[in-house]
Amino acid sequence: MFRLPSQPRANWQQKAQSFGFHFHTMYGEPYWDESAYYQFTLKQIERDLEDPTEEIHQMCLEVVEQVVRDEALMARFQIPETFWQPIADSWNIRAPSLYSRLDFAYDGSGHAKLYENNADTPTSLYESGFWQWLWLQDKVDSNQLARNADQFNSLQEKLINQFAQIAQFYKSDVFHFACCQDTVEDRGTVQYLQDCAAEAGLDVPFVFIEQIGIDETGRFTDHQDLQIDTLFKLYPWEFMQREEFGEYIIESETNWIEPLWKSVLSNKALMPMLWKTFKGHPNLLPAFFEDEKHHCDSAKVVKKPIFSREGANVSILQDGKIAQSADGPYGEEGFIYQAFHPLPQFDKNYTLIGSWLVNDKPAGISVREDSSLITQDMSRYLPHIILG
Amino acid sequence: MTRKRSAQINLNRMRKHFVPKPLAIGVTSVFLAACADDRQDAVIYKDALECTNANPEHAQTCETAYAQALEEAQRTGPKYNGRNDCESDFGANQCYAVQQNSGSFFMPLMAGYMIGNLLSPSRYYYQPMFTSYSPYSSYRYRWLTADGYDYGDLRKRRYKVRPDAFKAKPTVSRTIKRGGFGSSVRAKSSWGSRSGSKGGWGG
């Protein structure tokens, strides 16, 4: 695994414009960065990332199985009681999942260590599935990269296929897509998913989360009063379950993407549960609930809120004192503690690997860099290749 | 060599610059394409009696399909808060009030129903048809489906349609409340300036 400097494509901004990639630069800071790329060997990809990703996902599903059968665990996961049964129901019918992203610390050797599972609302999907794919294509076409250079990235292909599967499962071919207003990045991610679903032959109307309505039969509606049968929402379950319309979620009989049972996986309480169930697994870091943290024998630990996005409210503790922290609005539902394992550094950058799953199949990786040990939403995205 | 990346991506489909924005309502696939070979015969009848008179041996199917189309009309047809708005689109006396627990709303009357594959009592297709008598409407004296597809002049009754013409239309409702999702974002955004944040709520 190397970080190699690279000549940015001369016309890439223009290209981004024509493909609708509008968040490559934000607040004057580059987000998409093609002045360098990461190079992996096929063995590193398959043995150290792809296989563990598939295995860890299966381990996560075993945790779901445990949690949905145990009310005490549901409570530990801070899931509101009215959703315990519906979550179990959605798991029991195996309501289909679309995608997830596992975040790993990995430096090219040894075992990739799992930081967390973004199972409900992962972003950086468009950059991964499409934009870095196009980058490689262009680089190869212009002879700046070897013809046999490959990329671990079958995201788009798999997403299209999984949309077709989900449509079949629900016997539904109109999928609504939603995200919040005023966020270019989320809108771009959702547009990409709409494009993939459209490739699968579906109708893909869009509605903002804030515009969703409820009709007299208790079904959700879009801004044009069309009933919503199936909804992809880039909006966290833990928010929806606690908001005003949360009480209609169950009776509305909406087909949800991601399904309700993903609330168990997109929850940091997953990490101590994984450690309890698969203690010593080489891809896991020791992790503990608040009342068990005395079992953690590592002097340096990371404290993470049960619900958190993009590194917000994460702090690094050295002998119980805060060594580094990122502020944010999360934490009221409690914290978990994970043994500290630093991100590897490449040319002064801290590098985080996101490993994608579509349903239960590994589907590619994304590489993000940050100048800080805690990767936040202003980290940069770099493309990668497989060679050798 | 097995490739680890998507084999093919249709770049034209991914381009955004010149693609017109998807139109709101009333856009469906074009059923009447002359070259399609999977088209089938379909006829519009004003009511069950007209259908029965034309197909006495299929009276039962005419009746059942009519009842089903009526039900479908109520589910998928346009809904208005006021009679005037409805009549302005569909014409005087062309609208009726629907009473529900939370109040009433107005819908256009079903003007007819399209039926296909009538000869097969178990596998026939149907869909409700609407029309407008309003001088203010561009759909005046034309056959319309619930989702706004214009089949043309009222006098025309026989069509060749693709099977997906009969695909169930989305349900049109009357929304009683909006804005019940999204409050967490407002709350979480107000804690501070999240300087430099892209402001997304994905992760």
Side-chain angles (χ1 to χ4, degrees), chain A residues 166-378:
Chain A
I166 297 175
Q168 187 113 74
F169 182 89
Y170 289 124
K171 310 261 177 286
S172 167
D173 52 10
V174 183
F175 283 24
H176 276 80
F177 288 78
C179 69
C180 286
Q181 287 163 353
D182 306 320
T183 134
V184 182
E185 186 194 9
D186 286 4
R187 185 67 192 90
T189 302
V190 169
Q191 182 60 57
Y192 179 56
L193 285 165
Q194 287 173 267
D195 291 347
C196 290
E199 286 288 295
L202 305 177
D203 281 344
V204 293
F206 177 83
V207 58
F208 282 113
I209 287 284
E210 294 89 340
Q211 292 175 330
I212 291 175
I214 188 94
D215 72 9
E216 46 236 313
T217 65
R219 306 289 303 264
F220 290 115
T221 57
D222 69 9
H223 55 297
Q224 295 175 331
D225 291 340
L226 294 181
Q227 275 189 356
I228 296 174
D229 287 334
T230 304
L231 180 65
F232 172 90
K233 59 171 200 68
L234 193 67
Y235 191 63
W237 267 126
E238 69 265 18
F239 287 0
M240 295 182 69
Q241 289 163 353
R242 287 166 173 78
E243 292 178 357
E244 187 194 343
F245 277 4
E247 60 171 309
Y248 302 116
I249 287 172
I250 300 149
E251 296 294 315
S252 71
E253 290 180 8
T254 312
N255 308 317
W256 299 101
I257 308 169
E258 298 295 327
L260 263 169
W261 59 263
K262 280 273 189 118
S263 328
V264 177
L265 293 185
S266 64
N267 185 308
K268 301 289 185 294
L270 172 71
M271 305 314 294
M273 277 304 292
L274 276 173
W275 184 248
K276 252 193 248 254
T277 315
F278 303 97
K279 194 170 178 176
H281 189 283
N283 296 112
L284 296 180
L285 293 167
F288 305 90
F289 285 107
E290 187 117 38
D291 58 353
E292 307 166 326
K293 66 180 174 199
H294 54 278
H295 294 303
C296 187
D297 47 17
S298 125
K300 210 169 181 185
V301 293
V302 183
K303 181 181 174 191
K304 295 178 172 180
I306 284 204
F307 299 127
S308 162
R309 292 286 185 286
E310 304 266 16
N313 297 94
V314 168
S315 40
I316 299 171
L317 307 178
Q318 174 79 50
D319 300 315
K321 294 196 181 62
I322 294 178
Q324 193 175 352
S325 70
D327 49 356
Y330 298 98
E332 60 203 59
E333 286 87 8
F335 294 85
I336 61 112
Y337 296 79
Q338 192 176 48
F340 177 77
H341 179 89
L343 285 171
Q345 268 187 296
F346 291 82
D347 300 343
K348 293 189 187 149
N349 304 291
Y350 293 100
T351 303
L352 179 76
I353 308 286
S355 184
W356 295 91
L357 287 138
V358 173
N359 185 19
D360 55 0
K361 290 282 170 272
I365 57 165
S366 46
V367 182
R368 288 197 296 165
E369 285 183 347
D370 207 304
S371 50
S372 152
L373 268 172
I374 303 172
T375 304
Q376 292 203 267
D377 59 355
M378 280 312 283

Side-chain angles (χ1 to χ4, degrees), chain A residues 7-27:
Chain A
Q7 185 70 37
R9 292 164 295 169
N11 60 342
W12 77 263
Q13 274 103 342
Q14 205 182 333
K15 217 166 203 180
Q17 180 70 29
S18 74
F19 282 104
F21 182 25
H22 298 303
F23 51 99
H24 56 73
T25 306
M26 255 166 296
Y27 300 95

